[in-house]
Amino acid sequence: MTYWRKRPDLLERVFHLLLSCSGYRQAARSEEVSPQTIASLAARLGRHCQLVHEELRPKGAIQEPLALDSFESFEYSQDHPTSYHVVAGKKSHFFLGFTESELRRKGTMTPAQRRRRSRIEALLGRPNPRSIEREVAELLNIVVPKPQALELHTDEHRAYPRAVRAVAHLQVDHRTISSRAARNPQNPLFAINLLDLLLRHSGANHKRETIAFSKRRQSGIERMWAFLVWRNLVKSFSEKYPGESPAMRLGITNRLLTIKEILGRRRFPSLVSLPARWTVHYWRRTPTRRLPRIQTHSLKLAN
Protein backbone atom coordinates (compact mmCIF):
# COMPACT_ATOMS: atom_id res chain seq x y z
CA MET A 1 0.00 0.00 0.00
CA THR A 2 2.98 2.32 -0.55
CA TYR A 3 1.16 4.43 -3.10
CA TRP A 4 -1.82 4.79 -0.76
CA ARG A 5 0.41 6.29 1.93
CA LYS A 6 2.08 8.65 -0.52
CA ARG A 7 -1.15 9.69 -2.22
CA PRO A 8 -4.12 9.82 0.16
CA ASP A 9 -6.35 10.96 -2.71
CA LEU A 10 -5.69 7.78 -4.71
CA LEU A 11 -8.55 5.78 -3.21
CA GLU A 12 -11.05 8.47 -4.15
CA ARG A 13 -9.62 8.78 -7.65
CA VAL A 14 -9.79 5.01 -8.18
CA PHE A 15 -13.44 5.06 -7.06
CA HIS A 16 -14.23 7.59 -9.79
CA LEU A 17 -12.22 5.67 -12.40
CA LEU A 18 -14.01 2.38 -11.67
CA LEU A 19 -17.35 4.13 -12.23
CA SER A 20 -16.13 5.85 -15.40
CA CYS A 21 -15.80 2.64 -17.41
CA SER A 22 -12.05 2.26 -16.89
CA GLY A 23 -10.38 -1.13 -16.76
CA TYR A 24 -7.69 -1.80 -14.18
CA ARG A 25 -4.84 -1.27 -16.64
CA GLN A 26 -6.34 1.96 -17.97
CA ALA A 27 -6.74 3.24 -14.40
CA ALA A 28 -3.18 2.16 -13.59
CA ARG A 29 -1.78 4.09 -16.56
CA SER A 30 -3.83 7.14 -15.62
CA GLU A 31 -2.56 7.12 -12.03
CA GLU A 32 0.97 5.88 -12.83
CA VAL A 33 0.70 2.87 -10.54
CA SER A 34 0.62 -0.87 -11.15
CA PRO A 35 -2.58 -2.73 -12.11
CA GLN A 36 -2.22 -4.74 -8.91
CA THR A 37 -2.38 -1.50 -6.89
CA ILE A 38 -5.65 -0.65 -8.63
CA ALA A 39 -7.00 -4.17 -8.01
CA SER A 40 -6.08 -3.96 -4.31
CA LEU A 41 -7.73 -0.56 -3.92
CA ALA A 42 -10.82 -1.73 -5.81
CA ALA A 43 -11.14 -4.65 -3.37
CA ARG A 44 -10.80 -2.28 -0.44
CA LEU A 45 -13.43 0.03 -1.91
CA GLY A 46 -15.79 -2.89 -2.37
CA ARG A 47 -15.45 -3.95 1.26
CA HIS A 48 -15.86 -0.39 2.50
CA CYS A 49 -18.95 0.22 0.36
CA GLN A 50 -20.46 -3.04 1.55
CA LEU A 51 -20.26 -1.85 5.16
CA VAL A 52 -21.58 1.61 4.22
CA HIS A 53 -24.59 0.01 2.56
CA GLU A 54 -25.25 -2.29 5.49
CA GLU A 55 -25.26 0.69 7.84
CA LEU A 56 -27.75 2.67 5.75
CA ARG A 57 -30.05 0.22 3.98
CA PRO A 58 -33.67 -0.12 5.23
CA LYS A 59 -33.93 -2.81 7.91
CA GLY A 60 -37.66 -2.59 8.63
CA ALA A 61 -40.68 -3.38 6.49
CA ILE A 62 -40.36 -2.50 2.81
CA GLN A 63 -42.85 0.28 2.04
CA GLU A 64 -42.85 0.10 -1.76
CA PRO A 65 -43.10 -2.54 -4.50
CA LEU A 66 -39.81 -4.13 -5.52
CA ALA A 67 -38.41 -4.90 -8.96
CA LEU A 68 -36.03 -7.85 -9.36
CA ASP A 69 -34.03 -9.17 -12.28
CA SER A 70 -30.82 -11.00 -13.10
CA PHE A 71 -28.00 -9.10 -14.78
CA GLU A 72 -25.70 -11.34 -16.82
CA SER A 73 -21.96 -10.89 -17.17
CA PHE A 74 -19.05 -13.33 -17.12
CA GLU A 75 -15.79 -14.13 -15.34
CA TYR A 76 -12.47 -15.40 -16.73
CA SER A 77 -13.98 -15.96 -20.20
CA GLN A 78 -17.34 -16.12 -21.94
CA ASP A 79 -17.36 -19.84 -21.17
CA HIS A 80 -18.16 -18.89 -17.55
CA PRO A 81 -21.27 -16.67 -17.40
CA THR A 82 -22.31 -15.03 -14.14
CA SER A 83 -25.75 -13.78 -13.16
CA TYR A 84 -26.04 -10.96 -10.63
CA HIS A 85 -29.51 -10.99 -9.05
CA VAL A 86 -30.38 -7.36 -8.30
CA VAL A 87 -33.38 -5.88 -6.52
CA ALA A 88 -34.45 -2.24 -6.29
CA GLY A 89 -37.37 -0.17 -5.08
CA LYS A 90 -39.89 0.28 -7.89
CA LYS A 91 -40.52 3.94 -6.95
CA SER A 92 -37.34 5.04 -5.19
CA HIS A 93 -34.92 3.06 -7.42
CA PHE A 94 -32.90 2.34 -4.26
CA PHE A 95 -30.57 -0.58 -5.04
CA LEU A 96 -31.20 -2.86 -2.05
CA GLY A 97 -28.61 -5.52 -2.75
CA PHE A 98 -27.57 -8.49 -4.85
CA THR A 99 -26.45 -12.09 -4.88
CA GLU A 100 -24.84 -13.92 -7.76
CA SER A 101 -24.94 -17.28 -9.52
CA GLU A 102 -22.44 -19.14 -11.63
CA LEU A 103 -24.13 -20.23 -14.86
CA ARG A 104 -23.61 -22.82 -17.54
CA ARG A 105 -22.86 -21.30 -20.94
CA LYS A 106 -25.99 -21.29 -23.06
CA GLY A 107 -27.39 -19.74 -26.23
CA THR A 108 -26.19 -20.20 -29.77
CA MET A 109 -22.82 -21.96 -29.84
CA THR A 110 -20.65 -23.36 -32.59
CA PRO A 111 -19.77 -27.08 -32.49
CA ALA A 112 -16.29 -26.11 -31.27
CA GLN A 113 -17.76 -24.07 -28.43
CA ARG A 114 -19.99 -26.96 -27.40
CA ARG A 115 -17.01 -29.31 -27.35
CA ARG A 116 -15.05 -26.82 -25.26
CA ARG A 117 -17.95 -26.52 -22.80
CA SER A 118 -18.04 -30.32 -22.47
CA ARG A 119 -14.30 -30.44 -21.80
CA ILE A 120 -14.53 -27.68 -19.17
CA GLU A 121 -17.45 -29.36 -17.39
CA ALA A 122 -15.70 -32.74 -17.45
CA LEU A 123 -12.66 -31.15 -15.83
CA LEU A 124 -14.22 -28.62 -13.43
CA GLY A 125 -17.81 -29.75 -12.97
CA ARG A 126 -21.10 -28.15 -13.96
CA PRO A 127 -22.63 -25.14 -12.17
CA ASN A 128 -25.63 -25.86 -9.96
CA PRO A 129 -28.71 -25.67 -12.24
CA ARG A 130 -30.85 -24.44 -9.30
CA SER A 131 -28.46 -21.69 -8.28
CA ILE A 132 -30.68 -18.85 -9.55
CA GLU A 133 -33.65 -20.11 -7.52
CA ARG A 134 -31.52 -20.49 -4.40
CA GLU A 135 -29.71 -17.14 -4.70
CA VAL A 136 -32.85 -15.12 -5.48
CA ALA A 137 -34.55 -16.62 -2.43
CA GLU A 138 -31.48 -15.74 -0.35
CA LEU A 139 -31.57 -12.17 -1.65
CA LEU A 140 -35.23 -11.77 -0.69
CA ASN A 141 -34.47 -13.19 2.75
CA ILE A 142 -31.78 -10.54 3.22
CA VAL A 143 -33.64 -7.45 2.00
CA VAL A 144 -37.02 -8.42 3.49
CA PRO A 145 -36.10 -10.41 6.62
CA LYS A 146 -39.37 -10.04 8.54
CA PRO A 147 -42.87 -11.27 7.67
CA GLN A 148 -44.87 -8.82 5.58
CA ALA A 149 -46.93 -8.50 2.42
CA LEU A 150 -44.75 -7.67 -0.57
CA GLU A 151 -45.44 -6.68 -4.16
CA LEU A 152 -42.69 -8.06 -6.39
CA HIS A 153 -42.22 -7.42 -10.11
CA THR A 154 -40.01 -9.68 -12.25
CA ASP A 155 -39.79 -10.96 -15.79
CA GLU A 156 -41.02 -14.45 -16.68
CA HIS A 157 -37.90 -16.39 -15.71
CA ARG A 158 -39.01 -19.84 -14.55
CA ALA A 159 -36.78 -19.85 -11.46
CA TYR A 160 -38.40 -16.79 -9.88
CA PRO A 161 -41.74 -18.38 -8.87
CA ARG A 162 -39.84 -21.22 -7.18
CA ALA A 163 -37.65 -18.70 -5.36
CA VAL A 164 -40.73 -16.78 -4.19
CA ARG A 165 -42.28 -19.97 -2.83
CA ALA A 166 -39.09 -20.62 -0.87
CA VAL A 167 -39.45 -17.41 1.18
CA ALA A 168 -42.28 -18.72 3.31
CA HIS A 169 -42.29 -15.78 5.74
CA LEU A 170 -43.47 -13.37 3.01
CA GLN A 171 -46.89 -12.94 1.44
CA VAL A 172 -45.69 -12.11 -2.06
CA ASP A 173 -47.89 -10.65 -4.76
CA HIS A 174 -45.65 -11.78 -7.63
CA ARG A 175 -46.35 -9.92 -10.87
CA THR A 176 -44.52 -10.83 -14.08
CA ILE A 177 -43.98 -8.95 -17.29
CA SER A 178 -42.51 -10.10 -20.59
CA SER A 179 -38.85 -9.25 -21.16
CA ARG A 180 -39.92 -8.17 -24.64
CA ALA A 181 -42.09 -5.34 -23.29
CA ALA A 182 -40.90 -1.81 -24.07
CA ARG A 183 -38.29 -0.76 -21.50
CA ASN A 184 -39.70 2.69 -20.86
CA PRO A 185 -40.73 4.45 -17.62
CA GLN A 186 -44.19 2.88 -17.87
CA ASN A 187 -42.70 -0.60 -17.60
CA PRO A 188 -43.06 -1.98 -14.02
CA LEU A 189 -39.43 -3.14 -14.29
CA PHE A 190 -38.13 0.30 -15.28
CA ALA A 191 -36.13 0.71 -12.04
CA ILE A 192 -34.25 -2.51 -12.65
CA ASN A 193 -33.93 -2.02 -16.42
CA LEU A 194 -32.34 1.38 -15.78
CA LEU A 195 -30.06 -0.19 -13.19
CA ASP A 196 -28.90 -2.79 -15.73
CA LEU A 197 -28.25 -0.06 -18.28
CA LEU A 198 -26.19 1.98 -15.80
CA LEU A 199 -24.18 -1.09 -14.81
CA ARG A 200 -23.12 -1.73 -18.41
CA HIS A 201 -22.58 1.97 -19.07
CA SER A 202 -20.44 2.56 -15.96
CA GLY A 203 -18.45 -0.67 -15.70
CA ALA A 204 -15.91 -1.71 -18.33
CA ASN A 205 -16.03 -5.28 -16.99
CA HIS A 206 -19.70 -5.66 -17.97
CA LYS A 207 -19.50 -4.69 -21.63
CA ARG A 208 -20.80 -7.30 -24.05
CA GLU A 209 -17.49 -7.46 -25.92
CA THR A 210 -14.54 -6.39 -23.78
CA ILE A 211 -11.02 -7.30 -22.68
CA ALA A 212 -11.66 -5.60 -19.31
CA PHE A 213 -13.92 -8.38 -17.99
CA SER A 214 -13.44 -9.56 -14.40
CA LYS A 215 -10.98 -12.43 -14.23
CA ARG A 216 -12.47 -13.48 -10.90
CA ARG A 217 -16.11 -13.25 -9.86
CA GLN A 218 -14.93 -11.80 -6.55
CA SER A 219 -13.51 -8.79 -8.39
CA GLY A 220 -16.82 -8.21 -10.18
CA ILE A 221 -18.62 -8.42 -6.83
CA GLU A 222 -16.39 -5.75 -5.29
CA ARG A 223 -16.97 -3.40 -8.20
CA MET A 224 -20.71 -4.06 -7.88
CA TRP A 225 -20.68 -2.94 -4.23
CA ALA A 226 -18.92 0.29 -5.20
CA PHE A 227 -21.48 0.87 -7.94
CA LEU A 228 -24.35 0.18 -5.51
CA VAL A 229 -23.24 2.88 -3.06
CA TRP A 230 -22.59 5.37 -5.85
CA ARG A 231 -26.02 4.74 -7.37
CA ASN A 232 -27.85 5.05 -4.06
CA LEU A 233 -26.01 7.94 -2.41
CA VAL A 234 -24.03 9.92 -4.99
CA LYS A 235 -25.82 9.85 -8.32
CA SER A 236 -29.04 11.74 -8.93
CA PHE A 237 -32.18 9.68 -9.44
CA SER A 238 -32.52 11.24 -12.90
CA GLU A 239 -30.05 12.79 -15.34
CA LYS A 240 -32.78 14.96 -16.81
CA TYR A 241 -33.99 16.22 -13.42
CA PRO A 242 -30.89 16.05 -11.16
CA GLY A 243 -30.71 16.78 -7.47
CA GLU A 244 -32.32 13.85 -5.65
CA SER A 245 -30.73 10.44 -5.05
CA PRO A 246 -32.56 7.15 -4.42
CA ALA A 247 -31.46 7.38 -0.76
CA MET A 248 -33.00 10.84 -0.51
CA ARG A 249 -36.27 9.47 -1.87
CA LEU A 250 -36.36 7.03 1.05
CA GLY A 251 -35.35 9.66 3.61
CA ILE A 252 -32.02 7.94 4.35
CA THR A 253 -30.02 11.06 3.46
CA ASN A 254 -31.07 14.67 2.99
CA ARG A 255 -28.63 15.54 0.19
CA LEU A 256 -26.35 14.02 -2.41
CA LEU A 257 -23.18 12.68 -0.82
CA THR A 258 -19.70 12.93 -2.31
CA ILE A 259 -17.17 10.13 -2.72
CA LYS A 260 -14.91 11.97 -0.27
CA GLU A 261 -17.66 11.87 2.36
CA ILE A 262 -18.33 8.18 1.79
CA LEU A 263 -14.63 7.41 2.27
CA GLY A 264 -14.23 9.87 5.15
CA ARG A 265 -14.87 7.39 7.97
CA ARG A 266 -13.56 3.85 8.18
CA ARG A 267 -15.93 1.00 8.93
CA PHE A 268 -15.05 -2.32 10.52
CA PRO A 269 -16.80 -5.70 10.13
CA SER A 270 -16.61 -6.20 13.91
CA LEU A 271 -18.95 -3.20 14.30
CA VAL A 272 -21.23 -3.76 11.28
CA SER A 273 -23.03 -7.10 11.25
CA LEU A 274 -23.33 -8.40 7.70
CA PRO A 275 -25.82 -11.06 6.56
CA ALA A 276 -24.15 -14.45 6.31
CA ARG A 277 -24.42 -14.58 2.50
CA TRP A 278 -22.71 -11.21 2.17
CA THR A 279 -19.87 -12.09 4.53
CA VAL A 280 -18.67 -14.38 1.71
CA HIS A 281 -18.25 -11.23 -0.38
CA TYR A 282 -16.49 -9.28 2.34
CA TRP A 283 -13.91 -11.94 3.18
CA ARG A 284 -13.29 -12.68 -0.53
CA ARG A 285 -14.39 -16.31 -0.39
CA THR A 286 -16.16 -16.42 -3.77
CA PRO A 287 -14.51 -19.09 -5.94
CA THR A 288 -13.63 -19.02 -9.64
CA ARG A 289 -13.52 -22.49 -11.20
CA ARG A 290 -10.66 -21.76 -13.57
CA LEU A 291 -8.53 -20.23 -10.79
CA PRO A 292 -8.51 -22.72 -7.92
CA ARG A 293 -6.56 -20.54 -5.48
CA ILE A 294 -8.96 -18.20 -3.65
CA GLN A 295 -7.35 -14.92 -2.62
CA THR A 296 -9.18 -14.39 0.66
CA HIS A 297 -9.07 -11.24 2.76
CA SER A 298 -7.38 -11.46 6.16
CA LEU A 299 -8.17 -8.57 8.48
CA LYS A 300 -4.97 -6.86 9.65
CA LEU A 301 -4.81 -3.09 9.98
CA ALA A 302 -7.12 -2.27 7.05
CA ASN A 303 -10.84 -2.78 6.67
Side-chain angles (χ1 to χ4, degrees):
M1 300 298 289
T2 303
Y3 282 101
W4 167 238
R5 296 191 185 100
K6 288 182 178 179
R7 295 175 52 186
D9 67 323
L10 185 56
L11 198 63
E12 181 182 354
R13 292 176 63 85
V14 170
F15 201 129
H16 284 290
L17 286 168
L18 294 178
L19 294 165
S20 301
C21 215
S22 290
Y24 285 176
R25 291 188 181 277
Q26 291 170 299
R29 284 193 292 270
S30 172
E31 298 301 320
E32 299 181 338
V33 298
S34 72
Q36 184 55 48
T37 296
I38 300 297
S40 297
L41 293 179
R44 184 173 181 176
L45 285 168
R47 293 193 298 272
H48 178 81
C49 288
Q50 191 174 355
L51 298 181
V52 170
H53 178 66
E54 186 60 27
E55 278 189 351
L56 297 179
R57 72 180 178 92
K59 302 297 198 306
I62 299 296
Q63 302 295 329
E64 62 176 326
L66 298 184
L68 183 148
D69 196 14
S70 296
F71 170 85
E72 290 200 10
S73 187
F74 62 94
E75 60 172 332
Y76 191 84
S77 77
Q78 291 184 345
D79 290 312
H80 301 276
T82 299
S83 185
Y84 294 89
H85 314 299
V86 295
V87 64
K90 182 173 176 287
K91 298 177 181 178
S92 69
H93 289 207
F94 189 87
F95 187 178
L96 287 159
F98 68 94
T99 55
E100 83 290 339
S101 294
E102 184 184 17
L103 302 180
R104 187 187 195 207
R105 183 169 183 175
K106 58 185 185 297
T108 302
M109 290 183 285
T110 65
Q113 289 170 335
R114 289 185 179 276
R115 289 193 296 271
R116 184 167 66 246
R117 184 181 70 175
S118 297
R119 289 196 301 269
I120 291 171
E121 291 180 352
L123 180 65
L124 302 174
R126 180 176 173 177
N128 185 347
R130 300 183 72 90
S131 179
I132 293 178
E133 173 187 338
R134 182 188 64 194
E135 294 294 345
V136 168
E138 184 65 37
L139 177 60
L140 291 173
N141 277 318
I142 292 172
V143 301
V144 198
K146 298 179 181 179
Q148 71 165 85
L150 178 71
E151 183 180 317
L152 179 68
H153 296 262
T154 72
D155 63 20
E156 297 171 327
H157 196 293
R158 290 178 294 178
Y160 295 157
R162 298 195 299 268
V164 168
R165 289 194 293 271
V167 285
H169 69 289
L170 298 177
Q171 301 174 10
V172 182
D173 178 9
H174 184 199
R175 306 183 183 184
T176 62
I177 185 169
S178 171
S179 57
R180 297 183 179 181
R183 299 191 176 190
N184 54 30
Q186 288 69 48
N187 189 313
L189 293 178
F190 178 69
I192 216 75
N193 290 336
L194 178 59
L195 186 66
D196 289 357
L197 184 149
L198 289 172
L199 277 165
R200 294 208 191 277
H201 180 68
S202 303
N205 58 322
H206 293 312
K207 299 297 184 186
R208 294 290 188 182
E209 297 293 337
T210 181
I211 60 172
F213 55 86
S214 296
K215 308 309 182 284
R216 295 179 183 270
R217 196 166 3 130
Q218 179 66 46
S219 175
I221 288 167
E222 287 155 352
R223 293 186 70 161
M224 183 73 79
W225 281 114
F227 172 88
L228 179 149
V229 165
W230 172 78
R231 171 57 177 157
N232 285 341
L233 305 177
V234 180
K235 187 184 182 305
S236 292
F237 173 86
S238 168
E239 290 289 341
K240 189 174 182 181
Y241 304 105
E244 189 179 35
S245 68
M248 292 170 66
R249 287 195 156 202
L250 288 183
I252 295 172
T253 59
N254 57 13
R255 59 184 175 82
L256 296 175
L257 301 186
T258 65
I259 300 296
K260 186 180 291 292
E261 288 175 314
I262 289 169
L263 300 178
R265 177 172 66 86
R266 290 177 64 186
R267 273 82 169 174
F268 300 91
S270 58
L271 302 178
V272 180
S273 180
L274 290 168
R277 178 65 182 86
W278 286 350
T279 61
V280 176
H281 294 174
Y282 187 89
W283 297 108
R284 311 198 84 220
R285 294 171 182 157
T286 306
T288 292
R289 286 178 185 260
R290 295 297 288 266
L291 300 171
R293 180 172 171 267
I294 302 177
Q295 299 175 334
T296 58
H297 171 57
S298 298
L299 184 63
K300 294 180 181 177
L301 298 179
N303 58 331

